[in-house]
Amino acid sequence: MSLRIIETDADVAADAEALCALCPRMALAYAETGALPLRRKPDGFAELLSAIVSQQVSVASARAIWARMEEAGLTAPAPILIAGEDGLRAAGLSRQKIRYAQELARADIDYRALRAAPDAEVLETLTAVPGIGTWTAEIYAMFSLGRADVFAHGDLALQEAARVLYDLPERPNERAMRAMAADWSPYRSVAARLLWAYYRVVKQREGIR
């Protein structure tokens, strides 16, 4: 089965129209959000390392640390391993993130092969690395690989947007969100984009950077 990849704004728009035809509630949300962002990002080691750096810190702190790492050339596996704990600490990484960065550098992931791997294999490969959870793997699959039918089920902003849009008594947990999202297949990645955009409309703040 060939992979469906979201490459352009036109791909996003086409999937949004198909999703809205599938679900009237999504059509209501789309009428409020307007055109959805593409959000495509590069793939590879540096993108995952940046995601690790961003965990549990403010956006401003993450940008500052990442800028120091870029300046020090610490964005590829070999320099990470050569730098050692002292070099990574000097760039601003915590003890835990130093370990995660080193684990990612040693994982020897074939990023080119991931581009053609099934969604489940992508998620399994990435989450096998300490420091990369399901959410990070799903975001990588969606935005770095452009997968069209992946959803971040544990994302709180998506859960809250779904609660408001579907008039639910409480915010759906990850399991409930997984069941809901199944109905949006094969357009789940654009469903996520739409719910993030809807979250911004109803909450007046961003749900994802």
Side-chain angles (χ1 to χ4, degrees):
M1 180 175 150
S2 62
L3 291 170
R4 222 164 49 78
I5 304 297
I6 292 176
E7 298 278 13
T8 66
D9 288 318
D11 294 335
V12 174
D15 272 20
E17 292 294 339
L19 178 66
C20 290
L22 199 65
C23 174
R25 292 285 181 119
M26 284 290 186
L28 289 173
Y30 194 40
E32 291 195 45
T33 66
L36 304 174
L38 177 60
R39 291 191 183 275
R40 279 303 300 268
K41 296 182 176 181
D43 69 330
F45 177 86
E47 191 63 31
L48 282 173
L49 182 62
S50 174
I52 287 172
V53 167
S54 298
Q55 290 172 3
Q56 297 178 319
V57 297
S58 69
V59 172
S61 294
R63 283 176 179 157
I65 295 168
W66 187 247
R68 287 202 294 273
M69 293 186 71
E70 286 184 314
E71 190 176 347
L74 299 174
T75 59
I80 290 291
L81 295 176
I82 291 168
E85 288 190 20
D86 289 345
L88 296 174
R89 190 177 299 111
L93 292 190
S94 65
R95 179 182 299 178
Q96 185 180 55
K97 289 184 181 179
I98 288 170
R99 174 179 165 247
Y100 290 163
Q102 291 173 331
E103 292 276 11
L104 180 62
R106 293 190 190 103
D108 196 28
I109 294 171
D110 186 341
Y111 295 99
R112 186 177 295 273
L114 279 188
R115 295 174 186 173
D119 295 342
E121 184 180 327
V122 170
L123 300 182
E124 183 180 358
T125 299
L126 296 182
T127 55
V129 181
I132 299 179
T134 302
W135 184 89
T136 300
E138 288 165 341
I139 294 299
Y140 183 89
M142 263 194 271
F143 299 133
S144 290
L145 298 180
R147 298 305 171 87
D149 197 30
V150 174
F151 193 89
H153 306 92
D155 188 277
L156 295 181
L158 293 182
Q159 292 171 357
E160 178 62 12
R163 182 193 69 79
V164 176
L165 180 60
Y166 288 85
D167 198 23
L168 303 176
E170 59 186 14
R171 193 169 65 202
N173 61 20
E174 186 168 347
R175 183 177 178 182
M177 196 77 255
R178 196 172 292 276
M180 286 184 72
D183 291 338
W184 306 323
S185 183
Y187 313 110
R188 282 178 285 194
S189 293
V190 163
R193 285 170 171 84
L194 179 50
L195 287 174
W196 274 313
Y198 187 67
Y199 180 88
R200 188 182 68 243
V201 169
V202 297
K203 298 293 183 178
Q204 296 298 304
R205 63 178 186 265
E206 294 292 340
I208 189 171
R209 77 176 174 89

